[in-house]
Amino acid sequence: MTAAPPSLPPGPRAPRALQTARWIARPAAFLDDAARRYGDMFTLKIANEGTWVFLSDPEAVKQVFTGDPRLLHAGEANIVLLPVLGSQSVLLLDDDAHMAQRKLMLPPFHGERMRGYEEIMSEVAAREVERWPAGERLRAWPTMQTITLEVIMRTVFGVRESDRLERLGRALRSSLAWATEPRRMAQLAILGPRRIAERGTLKRALDPTDELIYEEIRSRRAAPDLAERTDVLSLLLQARHEDGSEMSDQELRDELMTLLVAGHETGATALAWALEALTRHPEALGRLREEIDTHEDTYLDAVVKETLRLRPVIALVLRRLMEQMEIGGRVLPAGVNVAPCIYLVHRRPDVYEDPRAFRPERFLEKPPGTYTWIPFGGGVRRCLGASFAQFEMKVVLRELVARLDIRAARPQPERRVRRAIVFAPERGGEIVVERRRRDRPALVA
Ligand code: HEM
């Protein structure tokens, strides 16, 4: 018997340009529609991105995450990130170059290292949420971004001086504000990432951040205490390639930019979603508050997991097929991008009972599955910062809930909007806070 010739699963017949427009403007609705019509496996055609085959059956997702990484290239498929992150970013590398870089970057992100970061995380979170004015409508996202950005600059870069933190933070915010403007997505679709990467406007937007990163690299190389330092920059400066050479400035810049960008936008958005969900579920918020007051964190962990399930900030991950491959019962042609779809896997009724409900308890009853709870992707490309991000979410939520009463600012839940490749709450997690009055003396009759 001969194997079936490669073929693509069905998908919308609209022209590529129209599919691209829908993907940019209303990605979640587009995915819901396609899944309803075509099931667990469908094809979308996105300008400058080739052909994407979406997968939402956990068995097919497992095949991709456990498949041979030499035949499933994530770096090539992540090309949309090239303009900002640079060609040496771990997210854009494949094969040996990827594994070598990943190995260099892993140690500081191991679970047991987290305790060392706790103090910085809780100090920054407490300081920032204390500033929130009581009784006024406010957007949580900008504060969450301030927190996650400062945390990443201090833990990953090891920047200690406040004026340096301030300058780097300001430059990065403005570079990212430029890079995530909605029209940038349209330009990417029209010109493609490689041409965007060569444009002067991009260079001008990134230059201030790049200069500060290079300055940090230069001054750290010369630091007398380099050998004793444990931040990622210092470790990367001491790391050596197999041939004994140091990492080049370009390599260091691209990895640091990757950690800065990947490490704070996602976390800030996930935190804003957590607040959005908690303020609409007073019973969950009440249970969380009780637990935090007794210094427990089991329910807190479940809240974080449920937020990342129901409101994943990244909707899909990509792998480019270097050869034709059988996935989910169909032989797919070489050259397509397969896309394990986080958003759709997390909404499967055969995996999650009442999948659209926010119910942290589900993770008390059953731990998350390796191929059914995938907010951080999987396999050899699984997010390097997964433990870091969840730990940070827990610390920030704990500081916040211990200090403040929170409620939704408006009755309507927030819809998802796109911020570059991230799905964010449309009003940035709009809440009203009041200071908590704990330890209030009992009234004397
Ligand atoms: C809630 C927060 C976060 C989410 C939802 C998230 C999600 C993801 C996803 C979906 C991927 C792609 C995985 C794949 O292709 O299978 C990824 C990769 C990555 N993430 Fe995260 N991430 C978060 C936070 C962080 C943090 C805090 C850091 C670092 C400090 C980080 C660093 C990275 C890096 C370096 C990669 C590339 C890994 C590789 O290609 O080998 N992320 N992340």
Side-chain angles (χ1 to χ4, degrees):
M1 210 176 79
T2 50
S7 66
L8 291 171
R13 273 193 288 264
R16 189 178 286 271
L18 257 185
Q19 295 194 35
T20 308
R22 282 197 74 193
W23 172 245
I24 292 175
R26 309 246 353 246
F30 194 28
L31 290 176
D32 284 332
D33 267 9
R36 214 171 14 248
R37 270 190 215 188
Y38 307 106
D40 287 348
M41 202 173 179
F42 54 84
T43 304
L44 297 186
K45 296 200 156 81
I46 307 294
N48 266 305
E49 287 275 352
T51 299
W52 285 359
V53 175
F54 279 76
L55 308 169
S56 61
D57 175 9
E59 271 309 310
V61 169
K62 181 176 176 184
Q63 266 183 287
V64 173
F65 285 166
T66 55
D68 183 348
R70 285 169 305 183
L71 304 180
L72 290 150
H73 274 185
E76 270 189 64
N78 287 337
I79 186 79
V80 67
L81 303 171
L82 172 77
V84 174
L85 302 189
S87 60
Q88 300 304 305
S89 160
V90 66
L91 269 158
L92 284 137
L93 297 172
D94 284 304
D95 299 328
D96 293 348
H98 167 255
M99 280 321 280
Q101 208 74 323
R102 192 172 158 100
K103 260 199 217 137
L104 291 179
M105 294 165 79
L106 262 175
F109 293 106
H110 270 161
E112 69 270 20
R113 297 295 284 267
M114 293 309 123
R115 292 279 151 216
Y117 303 141
E118 183 169 5
E119 206 177 300
I120 295 179
M121 290 172 176
S122 57
E123 177 204 312
V124 178
R127 186 194 69 210
E128 288 301 317
V129 302
E130 285 287 355
R131 290 190 180 153
W132 274 344
E136 287 174 26
R137 182 185 286 177
L138 59 91
R139 291 173 66 232
W141 196 86
T143 302
M144 295 301 128
Q145 191 200 22
T146 303
I147 297 171
T148 55
L149 183 53
E150 182 169 334
V151 166
I152 207 84
M153 289 190 298
R154 286 170 62 177
T155 55
V156 170
F157 272 62
V159 180
R160 296 168 184 168
E161 304 78 8
S162 57
D163 63 321
R164 283 187 176 220
L165 284 171
E166 175 73 33
R167 277 192 298 148
L168 181 57
R170 203 167 340 109
L172 188 74
R173 272 172 198 265
S174 102
S175 296
L176 287 181
W178 180 91
T180 53
E181 273 173 31
R183 70 191 149 123
R184 223 55 73 196
M185 286 300 288
Q187 280 180 352
L188 261 178
I190 295 163
L191 295 173
R194 290 186 208 283
R195 279 175 63 198
I196 292 266
E198 285 158 11
R199 295 187 108 199
T201 40
L202 174 85
K203 212 173 129 28
R204 279 193 293 282
L206 294 182
D207 263 356
T209 309
D210 282 349
E211 267 168 35
L212 292 171
I213 293 180
Y214 284 123
E215 196 180 300
E216 209 53 53
I217 295 173
R218 267 195 307 276
S219 74
R220 191 67 55 78
R221 261 196 218 285
D225 63 345
L226 180 65
E228 290 96 65
R229 297 181 63 130
T230 54
D231 56 85
V232 183
L233 170 54
S234 302
L235 295 179
L236 294 180
L237 277 167
Q238 296 170 76
R240 294 291 175 267
H241 290 295
E242 275 179 1
D243 65 1
S245 61
E246 295 181 352
M247 282 174 78
S248 68
D249 281 5
Q250 176 71 47
E251 282 177 303
L252 286 163
R253 177 268 173 211
D254 290 357
E255 290 326 346
L256 292 171
M257 191 64 144
T258 299
L259 294 172
L260 272 179
V261 175
H264 92 279
E265 284 261 335
T266 44
T269 307
L271 278 162
W273 276 126
L275 296 180
E276 205 275 338
L278 284 168
T279 50
R280 290 176 202 288
H281 296 86
E283 63 309 328
L285 180 57
R287 182 164 179 184
L288 179 63
R289 182 182 301 145
E290 265 171 39
E291 190 196 75
I292 284 174
D293 288 351
T294 53
H295 306 286
E296 276 291 317
D297 74 353
T298 320
Y299 195 68
L300 177 57
D301 189 64
V303 165
V304 165
K305 296 217 157 40
E306 179 67 340
T307 302
L308 291 167
R309 180 195 70 83
L310 188 59
R311 302 284 185 228
V313 293
I314 307 267
L316 63 128
V317 296
L318 291 170
R319 305 286 186 265
R320 171 143 328 152
L321 292 190
M322 305 315 288
E323 284 177 8
Q324 69 179 48
M325 193 180 286
E326 187 277 318
I327 296 175
R330 178 187 286 270
V331 180
L332 297 170
V336 300
N337 287 333
V338 288
C341 185
I342 301 169
Y343 172 81
L344 290 173
V345 171
H346 287 184
R347 297 166 90 82
R348 287 181 73 93
D350 58 347
V351 177
Y352 295 104
E353 196 189 322
D354 199 2
R356 286 167 189 246
F358 178 78
R359 211 174 63 80
E361 285 73 11
R362 66 174 90 241
F363 290 113
L364 301 178
E365 292 149 14
K366 205 169 150 202
T370 312
Y371 306 106
T372 50
W373 185 79
I374 52 168
F376 298 103
V380 295
R381 307 298 303 222
R382 186 168 189 266
C383 174
L384 272 175
S387 305
F388 184 98
Q390 291 174 84
F391 187 73
E392 179 179 58
M393 284 179 76
K394 291 205 284 185
V395 173
V396 174
L397 287 175
R398 189 188 62 200
E399 293 301 328
L400 196 156
V401 171
R403 287 180 163 72
L404 304 170
D405 278 325
I406 51 174
R407 61 174 198 274
R410 302 183 213 218
Q412 314 84 339
E414 297 188 38
R415 292 187 317 165
R416 292 185 181 75
V417 291
R418 177 196 277 291
R419 194 178 140 84
I421 60 162
V422 164
F423 279 12
E426 61 175 339
R427 301 190 296 276
E430 220 183 21
I431 54 172
V432 176
V433 305
E434 304 291 348
R435 310 259 162 258
R436 278 186 75 186
R437 287 176 214 283
R438 281 185 296 165
D439 308 319
R440 192 193 300 167
L443 289 177
V444 182

